Amino acid sequence: MASVKEKIAYALGDAAAGGIVWKVMSIAFPLFFTNVFGLSFADAAVLMLVARMFDVVTDPLMGSLADRTQSRWGTYRPWLIFGAIPFGLVFALLLFTPDFGDMGKRIYAYTLYLLMMAIYTMVNVPYGSLLGVMTEDDNEKNQFSAYRMIGAYAMGFATLLSFPYLQKWIGGSVAHQYAVTGAVLGAVAAIMTLACGLLTKERLKPVRAEKFSFGQFGDLVRNKAWLYMTAMAVCTNFFNGFRYAVAGYMFDYCLHGNVTIDNLIINFTVFMAFGEVTCMVFGGVAPWFAKKVGSKRMAFFWAAVFCLVTSVAFFFIPMDPAYISVMVGLVILTSMGIGIYSPLLWSMYADVADYHTEHFGTSATGLIFSSGTMSQKFGTAISGSLIALLLGWAGANMITDDFGNTIIDPASVTDSVLTMVWSLFSLFPAAIALLLMLLAYKFPIKK
């Protein structure tokens, strides 16, 4: 039986990766790259697409490599222990805006972004796989997953809520604010990742396929449960990816900037932070809810139904700051569904790994969990790229202001652009939630 201390230590891993690094990359990077760093919509879209093609190769290779690692620290933990410092350092450098000129900045952005994706893979694939060797008890897996999601969402809430206040406290140019904030958050992420690696335990030894073989990828494709799981993971990250990536544009152009209520500054990060704290609470409810409805897949199904209804409802809210309370309310309601299905996703990946070992004779835990990480990055980045492309197609144009900053031409922000932004936060995620419902209902593992 694992201790509460170890479950908290495990949660620190996703508090760093999901609550800090990925949260900032999801919600701040699209706006940062276009409005602060100075990339065009096309440059930002291509950057994220290129990174995804890179991940298609690195994620499964990392999963296979992690499965074959043998060391005094175990199979998966050494990747967290020795990857912690590079993880935080590259993240910090990615939020720095160098004075290199247009071509130099493109090269810097592409190089650092690809390096960040590689290090994220190096740390997060073994982290996810760690769940498969910490316990063989299904209920305890659910508990570890719940702690993981609570940690990720609690840290995500703290990160997003503090973001505008950190910027205000740091002062100076917006580029300077992002650079200093990146250094602070990068250091925190590195410390948390290191603590996770040092304070967790690997109790089970995977049944290894000692030699690398492409046959293991063939086995994976024949694993029906894995195919469903991968599709579900991509959809969950499309759902979140659209909402987080477009939130900054929604505040800038639909709501005309930050909204202040009783001295509380509500910008796009604070707005989404309300959802983070809700996900944290309902992440703890997920194991109970799964028992209540009879299985993880049905809990997932009903959570997706809830997300569908609330996302459609958001579209009909007027684009007016006076309705900010209603918007916050629907973000909170949507996040109740997200909070329930998020921890179940990773627990279901552990079930898929067990299913694979039973049917194919060898462990593919790292490979299977790497597909979860790849789905996370694929869904988030493709949604971010689509947003950049769709805003361009709707008529948004980039210009340079008198101070040399790259901004959207105010004259190009027409009703069609505003409707596109609003739909990307509501109707597009709603369509994804509908697909999630169908996939969850047909998922073959009935636990």
Side-chain angles (χ1 to χ4, degrees):
M1 179 69 71
S3 67
V4 172
K5 177 183 176 182
E6 185 179 2
K7 291 171 184 174
I8 293 173
Y10 182 69
L12 290 177
D14 212 20
I20 297 178
V21 175
W22 202 254
K23 200 62 63 182
V24 174
M25 291 180 73
S26 299
I27 194 168
F29 273 24
L31 195 66
F32 168 74
F33 277 131
T34 56
N35 288 20
V36 180
F37 195 89
L39 298 182
S40 67
F41 277 123
D43 284 332
V46 171
L47 168 61
M48 294 179 184
L49 284 171
V50 168
R52 294 299 67 76
M53 298 307 102
F54 181 67
D55 287 336
V56 167
V57 176
T58 60
D59 281 43
L61 287 179
M62 184 64 232
S64 183
L65 178 61
D67 281 337
R68 288 161 177 76
T69 300
Q70 298 184 58
S71 75
R72 56 179 290 192
W73 297 279
T75 299
Y76 304 112
R77 291 170 57 236
W79 295 98
L80 280 76
I81 294 169
F82 295 103
I85 292 176
F87 187 50
L89 178 61
V90 175
F91 172 75
L93 291 174
L94 196 51
L95 284 170
F96 174 72
T97 303
D99 187 16
F100 286 168
D102 290 344
M103 182 55 69
K105 287 169 73 173
R106 285 193 190 97
I107 294 171
Y108 181 91
Y110 273 74
T111 302
L112 267 292
Y113 197 82
L114 290 173
L115 185 58
M116 183 72 251
M117 290 299 93
I119 295 175
Y120 190 94
T121 295
M122 184 180 76
V123 169
N124 208 245
V125 168
Y127 170 73
S129 305
L130 187 59
L131 179 62
V133 295
M134 293 174 74
T135 179
E136 57 185 352
D137 181 80
D138 192 56
N139 185 54
E140 199 164 44
K141 286 179 184 176
N142 288 344
Q143 291 175 21
F144 269 111
S145 293
Y147 269 85
R148 171 183 181 168
M149 288 298 102
I150 291 171
Y153 285 123
M155 196 65 219
F157 171 73
T159 300
L160 298 182
L161 185 65
S162 64
F163 212 87
Y165 297 97
L166 272 173
Q167 290 181 304
K168 185 176 180 181
W169 175 70
I170 292 165
S173 68
V174 178
H176 175 71
Q177 293 169 10
Y178 270 94
V180 175
T181 301
V184 172
L185 294 179
V188 174
I191 292 169
M192 286 182 167
T193 303
L194 181 61
C196 176
L198 292 173
L199 299 177
T200 52
K201 297 178 181 178
E202 297 187 22
R203 295 174 177 81
L204 308 176
K205 291 187 177 181
V207 181
R208 304 179 191 276
E210 297 296 348
K211 295 182 179 179
F212 177 84
S213 169
F214 285 104
Q216 63 186 323
F217 295 100
D219 290 342
L220 204 59
V221 173
R222 294 199 302 272
N223 186 336
K224 183 180 179 181
W226 176 80
L227 293 174
Y228 273 92
M229 195 73 256
T230 299
M232 290 166 67
V234 170
C235 285
T236 60
N237 287 291
F238 267 131
F239 184 88
N240 287 332
F242 279 121
R243 296 169 71 251
Y244 278 92
V246 83
Y249 296 112
M250 187 172 72
F251 266 77
D252 276 0
Y253 304 112
C254 297
L255 301 180
H256 314 294
N258 299 346
V259 181
T260 303
I261 301 177
D262 296 330
N263 296 320
L264 173 64
I265 301 172
I266 302 181
N267 73 342
F268 67 101
T269 62
V270 175
F271 182 68
M272 299 306 290
F274 287 104
E276 293 296 306
V277 73
T278 306
C279 287
M280 177 184 70
V281 173
F282 280 82
V285 172
W288 170 84
F289 187 65
K291 286 184 178 180
K292 194 73 175 176
V293 298
S295 67
K296 298 174 191 176
R297 72 182 184 94
M298 289 311 298
F300 208 108
F301 172 84
W302 287 112
V305 170
F306 205 69
C307 289
L308 169 64
V309 173
T310 55
S311 296
V312 170
F314 193 97
F315 179 77
F316 295 98
I317 304 174
M319 296 181 202
D320 189 328
Y323 290 86
I324 190 66
S325 297
V326 180
M327 297 175 202
V328 169
L330 276 176
V331 164
I332 290 172
L333 289 174
T334 303
S335 298
M336 290 167 60
I338 298 170
I340 288 174
Y341 73 56
S342 293
L344 296 176
L345 184 77
W346 294 106
S347 181
M348 290 163 77
Y349 261 115
D351 294 339
V352 171
D354 292 341
Y355 177 92
H356 189 92
T357 301
E358 291 170 7
H359 285 77
F360 299 99
T362 58
S363 173
T365 302
L367 188 58
I368 287 169
F369 274 92
S370 75
S371 66
T373 304
M374 184 174 68
S375 299
Q376 179 186 40
K377 291 186 286 187
F378 180 83
T380 303
I382 294 299
S383 58
S385 297
L386 284 174
I387 284 170
L389 291 173
L390 289 169
L391 289 179
W393 290 341
N397 297 316
M398 304 301 295
I399 61 171
T400 302
D401 65 14
D402 295 337
F403 300 98
N405 300 312
T406 304
I407 61 172
I408 293 180
D409 182 358
S412 71
V413 183
T414 60
D415 287 345
S416 64
V417 172
L418 296 178
T419 301
M420 178 61 75
V421 170
W422 210 250
S423 299
L424 284 165
F425 194 85
S426 54
L427 296 184
F428 279 73
I432 298 299
L434 178 60
L435 184 55
L436 265 177
M437 289 166 51
L438 298 174
L439 290 168
Y441 189 78
K442 298 290 290 183
F443 186 66
I445 299 177
K446 310 301 182 183
K447 287 186 179 181

